[in-house]
């Protein structure tokens, strides 16, 4: 999700956090009131800051979550997902995508374009 979409869709982020808490995730960080903000990563070359939507821990392992919603800025979303996937692989973390009803096909198409079809999406 891009910054402008985060402001518009805070209820989806809250629902996602509630789902993660119910499934046993701890130390949840998100860009919402009452939560710490996740660490931003600076992508070299473009000077672009990339921040995961939600960061949480489960069984001592860190998970990055990004919420997938239909967007016109697909290239920005693709670069963000590839970057987070690469960082999670380098540091032995996990990266998952959360999507909601009405956005499943959009998410699956983007994952196919990026060749990340092995990623399990969390459907809320």
């Amino acid at each position: 999700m891009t910054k402008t979409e985060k402001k518009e869709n805070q209820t989806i982020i809250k629902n996602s956090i509630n789902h993660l808490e119910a499934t046993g995730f701890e130390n949840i960080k998100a860009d919402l009131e009452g939560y710490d903000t996740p660490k931003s990563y600076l992508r070299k070359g473009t000077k672009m800051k990339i921040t995961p939507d939600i960061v949480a821990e489960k069984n001592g392992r860190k998970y990055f979550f990004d919420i997938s919603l239909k967007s016109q800025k697909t290239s920005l979303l693709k670069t963000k997902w590839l970057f987070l996937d690469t960082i999670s692989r380098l540091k032995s973390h996990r990266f998952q995508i959360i999507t909601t009803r009405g956005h499943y096909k959009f998410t699956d198409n983007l994952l196919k374009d990026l060749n990340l079809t092995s990623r399990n999406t969390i459907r809320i």
Side-chain angles (χ1 to χ4, degrees):
M1 214 185 315
T2 59
K3 276 189 175 182
T4 56
E5 292 172 340
K6 281 184 186 180
K7 291 176 185 175
E8 297 169 0
N9 299 302
Q10 290 191 355
T11 56
I12 294 173
I13 296 173
K14 288 178 185 176
N15 290 341
S16 301
I17 290 172
N18 290 336
H19 174 75
L20 294 175
E21 287 174 343
T23 55
F25 284 93
E26 303 168 337
N27 299 333
I28 297 175
K29 296 179 183 179
D31 247 347
L32 288 177
E33 284 186 27
Y35 294 95
D36 294 335
T37 56
K39 180 182 177 182
S40 293
Y41 296 94
L42 187 64
R43 186 169 179 213
K44 288 187 178 180
T46 60
K47 303 289 183 186
M48 186 169 93
K49 280 190 178 181
I50 296 179
T51 308
D53 293 335
I54 302 170
V55 176
E57 289 183 9
K58 185 177 184 180
N59 299 329
R61 184 161 283 182
K62 191 182 247 184
Y63 287 77
F64 297 120
F65 296 99
D66 200 62
I67 299 173
S68 173
L69 300 174
K70 291 179 185 175
S71 175
Q72 298 297 325
K73 300 177 182 178
T74 56
S75 62
L76 232 167
L77 202 56
K78 287 180 184 179
T79 56
K80 182 178 181 182
W81 288 359
L82 280 175
F83 186 79
L84 290 174
D85 184 56
T86 305
I87 284 189
S88 64
R89 287 184 188 183
L90 286 174
K91 297 189 176 189
S92 298
H93 300 319
R94 298 288 184 256
F95 171 61
Q96 290 187 321
I97 296 171
I98 300 173
T99 187
T100 58
R101 186 176 181 162
H103 303 276
Y104 297 151
K105 186 170 182 172
F106 173 78
T107 302
D108 288 340
N109 288 340
L110 279 182
L111 289 173
K112 283 179 188 175
D113 289 347
L114 295 172
N115 200 18
L116 293 176
T117 53
S118 63
R119 293 279 163 221
N120 293 334
T121 56
I122 298 173
R123 297 178 177 201
I124 297 178

